[in-house]
Amino acid sequence: MNHRAIAAIYRFEMARFWRTSLQSIVSPVVSTSLYFVVFGGAIGSRIEEIDGVNYGAFIVPGLIMLMILTNSITAASFGIYFPKFIGTIYEILSAPVSFLEIVFGYVGAAATKSLILGGIILATAGFFVPLEIAHPVWMVFFLVLTAVTFSLFGFIIGIWADNFEKLQLIPLLVVTPLVFLGGSFYSVDMLPPFWQTVTYFNPVLYLVSGFRWSFYEVSDVSVATSLVMIVFFLAACLAVCWWIFRTGYRLKT
C-alpha cells in the first residue's frame, strides 16, 4: 500500500476544503438554523412529540443525514471530476498508484469534509434543542459509515459525469428528494398504509432510522436491517469502483 500517494491526494483535497472554509462552515450553520426556524418553530408548535421525543430534537438526525449525504456526494464527485476536466487525471493514472489508493485518497478526503460538517451541524443543533445521544459509539459508527459510503457513490458520479450539470443531476433530483421522503422529518407511522409501504423501498429510510436510534433508541426499522442496507450499498459502490478502474470507463477517453 502506497501510503505517501494516499496522503498526497488526501492533503491536496483537504487543502482545497480549507481554502473555502468560511463558506464551508457558514453555509451549514445558516442552513441548520433555518431548518430549525421553519421545522422546529412552525411545525414543531403543532407537533409536540414523535415517539416520545420532542419534535425539534427528533429532526436533528435527519437533518444531519441530509447534509452528510449531499455533501459527501458533492465533495467526492467534484474531487475526481475536476482532474478529469483539466486533464491531470492522466498523471495520477500513469503513476505507480493502485485504484484502491486513488479511491482511499479522494473518498477519505470527501468523507472527512462531511464528518466535519456533520459535527458543525450537531453543535449548531445543540443551541436550539436539548440533545441526547443514547449510543455515542454507534452514532459515530453510523456517521462514518454513511459518509464513506456516499463519498464512494459521489466518486462514481464524478467519473460518470461528462459535464458540470451532471454532477448536480443525481444529488438534486434523486438524493435530496429521497432524504426528504425517507423519514428525516417525520415518522413512517404517521403516513397512510400505502405510503408506508412505498417508503420502505427508500434506502435512505434505513440510514436515517439507524442513525436516529443511536440518539433516542427509536427507529422505524430495526438497527440490524439498517446496518445490512448500508454495508450492502458500500460493497456495491466498491465493486463499481473496481470495475471502473479495471475497464477504464470514462477514464481512458
Side-chain angles (χ1 to χ4, degrees), residues 23-248:
Q23 174 186 347
S24 303
I25 293 173
V26 172
S27 178
V29 171
V30 173
S31 299
T32 303
S33 303
L34 290 175
Y35 274 111
F36 277 107
V37 170
V38 175
F39 286 92
I43 301 177
S45 61
R46 293 169 174 79
I47 305 175
E48 294 184 359
E49 290 185 351
I50 297 180
D51 295 332
V53 181
N54 175 271
Y55 182 73
F58 182 86
I59 67 174
V60 171
L63 185 58
I64 294 175
M65 274 293 162
L66 171 63
M67 297 296 180
I68 288 288
L69 265 61
T70 53
N71 280 284
S72 295
I73 293 174
T74 301
S77 60
F78 184 81
I80 189 62
Y81 176 78
F82 193 69
K84 283 177 52 185
F85 180 72
I86 63 178
T88 56
I89 187 67
Y90 300 110
E91 298 178 6
I92 299 175
L93 294 175
S94 62
V97 183
S98 70
F99 92 92
L100 276 178
E101 291 158 356
I102 295 174
V103 171
F104 284 164
Y106 282 107
V107 171
T112 301
K113 298 172 190 177
S114 297
L115 291 173
I116 292 173
L117 294 178
I120 293 171
I121 295 168
L122 183 62
T124 304
F127 288 102
F128 291 90
V129 294
L131 292 177
E132 297 178 7
I133 304 177
H135 304 282
V137 175
W138 278 106
M139 187 271 288
V140 174
F141 179 75
F142 271 108
L143 206 60
V144 172
L145 195 59
T146 302
V148 171
T149 300
F150 278 83
S151 293
L152 274 170
F153 185 52
F155 186 84
I156 295 169
I157 294 173
I159 293 176
W160 164 77
D162 53 12
N163 55 57
F164 284 99
E165 287 74 17
K166 285 187 177 180
L167 285 179
Q168 300 298 323
L169 182 65
I170 293 180
L172 290 178
L173 298 183
V174 179
V175 176
T176 300
L178 286 179
V179 174
F180 276 99
L181 299 174
S184 300
F185 304 109
Y186 57 87
S187 173
V188 176
D189 295 335
M190 301 169 66
L191 299 174
F194 172 77
W195 289 110
Q196 287 187 29
T197 304
V198 172
T199 304
Y200 284 123
F201 286 95
N202 183 350
V204 176
L205 168 68
Y206 301 92
L207 306 178
V208 175
S209 181
F211 191 55
R212 182 173 288 127
W213 173 86
S214 69
F215 278 76
Y216 312 117
E217 294 187 321
V218 296
S219 60
D220 293 310
V221 296
S222 69
V223 180
T225 305
S226 297
L227 283 173
V228 169
M229 290 295 292
I230 299 175
V231 172
F232 174 78
F233 191 48
L234 174 64
C237 289
L238 281 173
V240 172
C241 287
W242 172 83
W243 175 81
I244 286 173
F245 280 92
R246 184 174 181 272
T247 62

